[in-house]
Amino acid sequence: MGALFFKSAKDLSQMLAAKSLSSVELIQALIRRIKDVEPKIQALLSFDEARALRYAQESDERRAAGKLRGPLDGIPIGIKDIIAEEGQPLTCGSKILEHYISPYDATVMERLKAAGAIPLGRFNLDEFGMGSSTENSAYQKTRNPWNLECVPGGSSGGCGAAVCAGEVPLALGSDTGGSIRYPAACCGIAGLKTTYGLVSRYGLAALASSTDQIGPLGRSVVDLGMLLQIIAGHDERDATSCAVPIPDYSEAFNTEQRSWRIGIPKEYFSEGIDGEVYRSIAEAIAFYRKKGHIIVDISLPHTFYAIPVYYIVMTAEASSNLARYDGIRYTHRSAEVMNARDIYFKSRAEGFGSEVKRRIILGTYVLSSDHQDAYYVRAQKVRTLICRDFSQAFNEVDVILSPTAPTTAFKLGERLDDPLQMYLSDICTVSVNLAGLPALSIPCGFSEAGLPIGLQFIGKAFHEQELLSIAHIFEKEHDFNQRFPDID
Ligand code: GLN
């Protein structure tokens, strides 16, 4: 069965139910694991051990009193350090928020706590979610547990590496252009980007408000479903949150098999895709065909524009969202200030890293009155075409299958000096965010070098249950999510 720290949340929940394990014992085991592997992995930014143990104690007491709050009661969840948690640091991976302590809980944190789940540690990320490798964190470079010389993907790379390395069974990340799915693919775990509006963004520090979503990372799609059940649902504190009925996601795993129509978009298999990635995805397609599902060749013709459109829309939104970090209120303030202007200029110059500055400048440029028609307005029009591609495809198919990324995890430093190369890591993921759709990544193979390969499913809006169900068909019959890295 393997080590305790590599067990799925579902297995751990069953062990807690069978009383073969207490929540306090579980947290203690994970604290030991974290101490063992963190010097190498560097995924964790801060961790309130005493509080986690206190929560675990309370969960054990509820269990003894027969007052459990649900299947994740007593189960630890890692949190990307961009989701506000009362009384805890919220750095967003940035020096500008180095000493900031959140005075309130994000809605997802309230829901986790109400379900008895235990927030366990705040995990590293690219500064404000800007990046694909977690190297843009102002604090530390997180390593890929499969190969310590490689990046874990990003921007939720701390969460991805932590789940992969056995530091925590489940985590909450955020995905603006691929930041849950890409680290999931690089680390060989499962990750779900939820439909825009399904999960409240209240308390998620904003990168691009029209594409940001919170979602789960875990060892299996079953675990993702358990966490999604808690966090999904309307919240009146987020004006973009939708009042849709929330299904019982666990039904995704026991319904009668039906035959799915699976679309294969040719644009996702063009140049730039690595041979080993191509082969693994082709094997996954063959698997579904053999199981009796219908494979349909489709086209998403505007895919080619997704990266430029995303990097215009996202930088525009980021530049205005980040205006709040001004040195006046809760952020870093430069010690060198002589006047009001200095407060803004020097504090922001010192507090933000170079990628953040690049995006603020780009975003301000595409929104400037001379250029907004040429860039921002035009990008929004092409965004509509990208959305239309998906709606047309979904007239023909139930779900779309593609690689999560064209290559496996790259080496640390390899793309750091070339932002365009870094941006291309998102080529298979950003369209989904522009269209507000749900998408999931699961491991579907390993390269010769031993690095995981991610398989992506894209679904219709609010059809997370279908994605979980289709991915589960694959997961059940493969052992890719039962392989664990040897971190020596
Ligand atoms: N890598 C993309 C970016 O740099 C996506 C980031 C994200 O999803 N937060 O913007």
Side-chain angles (χ1 to χ4, degrees):
M1 278 294 277
L4 185 64
F5 46 76
F6 280 137
K7 289 199 187 303
S8 68
K10 183 172 180 223
D11 287 349
L12 292 170
S13 171
Q14 282 167 353
M15 289 173 73
L16 291 174
K19 303 223 161 57
S20 56
L21 177 74
S22 74
S23 183
V24 168
E25 285 163 350
L26 172 57
I27 301 294
Q28 283 166 340
L30 293 181
I31 291 174
R32 280 196 299 276
R33 176 68 178 170
I34 287 171
K35 296 212 161 119
D36 279 353
V37 298
E38 257 309 292
K40 293 198 171 125
I41 304 298
Q42 303 269 300
L44 191 60
L45 287 179
S46 59
F47 179 22
D48 189 339
E49 273 184 40
R51 193 190 57 151
L53 285 165
R54 195 175 71 241
Y55 282 147
Q57 176 78 39
E58 286 166 13
S59 169
D60 287 338
E61 283 163 16
R62 282 195 296 276
R63 191 174 300 276
K67 293 198 174 131
L68 272 194
R69 296 179 182 166
L72 287 185
D73 200 329
I75 301 288
I77 318 279
I79 309 295
K80 183 178 184 179
D81 198 10
I82 194 166
I83 300 174
E85 195 181 342
E86 190 187 341
Q88 297 297 314
L90 174 63
T91 68
C92 298
S94 181
K95 284 281 178 211
I96 209 154
L97 287 173
E98 188 169 7
H99 302 294
Y100 179 69
I101 302 289
S102 173
Y104 74 107
D105 267 333
T107 297
V108 291
M109 297 310 302
E110 281 181 6
R111 292 191 180 181
L112 283 189
K113 290 177 185 174
I118 301 174
L120 186 126
R122 306 195 49 84
F123 287 93
N124 200 19
L125 67 157
D126 288 295
E127 189 171 359
F128 290 104
M130 299 184 186
S132 306
S133 66
T134 313
E135 291 166 293
N136 291 337
S137 164
Y139 296 97
Q140 60 200 36
K141 301 229 186 295
T142 301
R143 310 285 171 143
N144 188 317
W146 291 100
N147 179 339
L148 299 177
E149 282 170 18
C150 290
V151 301
S155 64
S156 313
C159 292
V163 171
C164 171
E167 296 183 34
V168 67
L170 265 173
L172 274 187
S174 64
D175 191 315
T176 305
S179 282
I180 289 176
R181 289 159 288 156
Y182 188 55
C186 290
C187 294
I189 61 167
L192 172 65
K193 184 261 169 205
T194 51
T195 307
Y196 188 74
L198 181 70
V199 177
S200 169
R201 291 184 296 114
Y202 178 78
L204 168 66
L207 169 52
S209 313
S210 78
T211 69
D212 292 343
Q213 270 291 294
I214 294 175
L217 296 99
R219 300 216 168 89
S220 74
V221 292
V222 177
D223 285 6
L224 300 186
M226 289 168 84
L227 187 48
L228 181 62
Q229 198 73 54
I230 296 176
I231 59 172
H234 183 237
D235 176 17
E236 52 189 33
R237 291 178 298 188
D238 170 2
T240 58
S241 153
C242 294
V244 288
I246 303 302
D248 177 353
Y249 291 110
S250 68
E251 280 172 14
F253 310 118
N254 33 31
T255 44
E256 276 289 291
Q257 279 304 332
R258 58 173 267 203
S259 164
W260 297 100
R261 294 179 67 83
I262 303 176
I264 313 296
K266 62 168 191 266
E267 292 79 5
Y268 285 65
F269 292 84
S270 52
E271 59 182 289
I273 178 166
D274 171 270
E276 290 180 292
V277 172
Y278 186 89
R279 208 169 327 123
S280 284
I281 304 294
E283 277 165 20
I285 297 172
F287 166 81
Y288 280 99
R289 185 178 279 123
K290 203 157 145 234
K291 287 261 145 200
H293 302 283
I294 301 152
I295 307 296
V296 186
D297 287 326
I298 60 164
S299 170
L300 298 167
H302 297 92
T303 301
F304 178 68
Y305 302 104
I307 291 273
V309 167
Y310 170 77
Y311 276 90
I312 291 171
V313 172
M314 175 272 301
T315 53
E317 295 185 19
S319 71
S320 53
N321 275 327
L322 270 62
R324 73 190 67 171
Y325 306 108
D326 56 7
I328 300 284
R329 287 165 296 180
Y330 42 78
T331 52
H332 163 78
R333 178 178 296 187
S334 170
E336 311 283 308
V337 295
M338 303 293 285
N339 51 42
R341 187 178 180 278
D342 277 0
I343 296 184
Y344 297 117
F345 280 64
K346 292 201 173 147
S347 306
R348 283 166 71 85
E350 289 168 14
F352 286 140
S354 55
E355 181 62 22
V356 174
K357 288 176 186 159
R358 176 164 29 241
R359 293 192 192 198
I360 291 175
I361 293 168
L362 252 171
T364 316
Y365 179 79
V366 300
L367 286 177
S368 62
S369 53
D370 279 354
H371 302 288
Q372 61 169 276
D373 285 343
Y375 292 105
Y376 183 70
V377 174
R378 187 174 291 188
Q380 290 291 20
K381 289 180 182 165
V382 182
R383 180 181 192 173
T384 303
L385 298 175
I386 291 171
C387 296
R388 209 173 286 164
D389 283 355
F390 281 114
S391 2
Q392 273 161 7
F394 285 127
N395 288 331
E396 271 185 82
V397 298
D398 302 302
V399 70
I400 294 170
L401 180 157
S402 79
T404 309
T407 61
T408 53
F410 48 90
K411 292 251 163 67
L412 273 109
E414 200 176 293
R415 299 192 185 171
L416 208 49
D417 297 327
D418 186 350
L420 280 183
Q421 268 305 106
M422 189 71 94
Y423 297 172
L424 286 174
S425 320
D426 309 321
I427 197 149
C428 302
T429 51
V430 291
S431 304
V432 165
N433 300 72
L434 291 169
L437 299 173
L440 184 152
S441 178
I442 53 169
C444 71
F446 282 82
S447 68
E448 293 251 305
L451 289 168
I453 295 170
L455 171 67
Q456 174 174 245
F457 292 100
I458 305 169
K460 298 176 188 162
F462 302 108
H463 283 54
E464 276 76 3
Q465 206 174 5
E466 292 191 352
L467 288 184
L468 293 170
S469 198
I470 291 168
H472 188 57
I473 296 170
F474 186 89
E475 194 178 83
K476 255 189 341 217
E477 297 198 22
H478 295 85
D479 73 346
F480 300 118
N481 73 335
Q482 309 289 326
R483 300 188 196 175
F484 306 110
D486 187 9
I487 308 161
D488 42 47

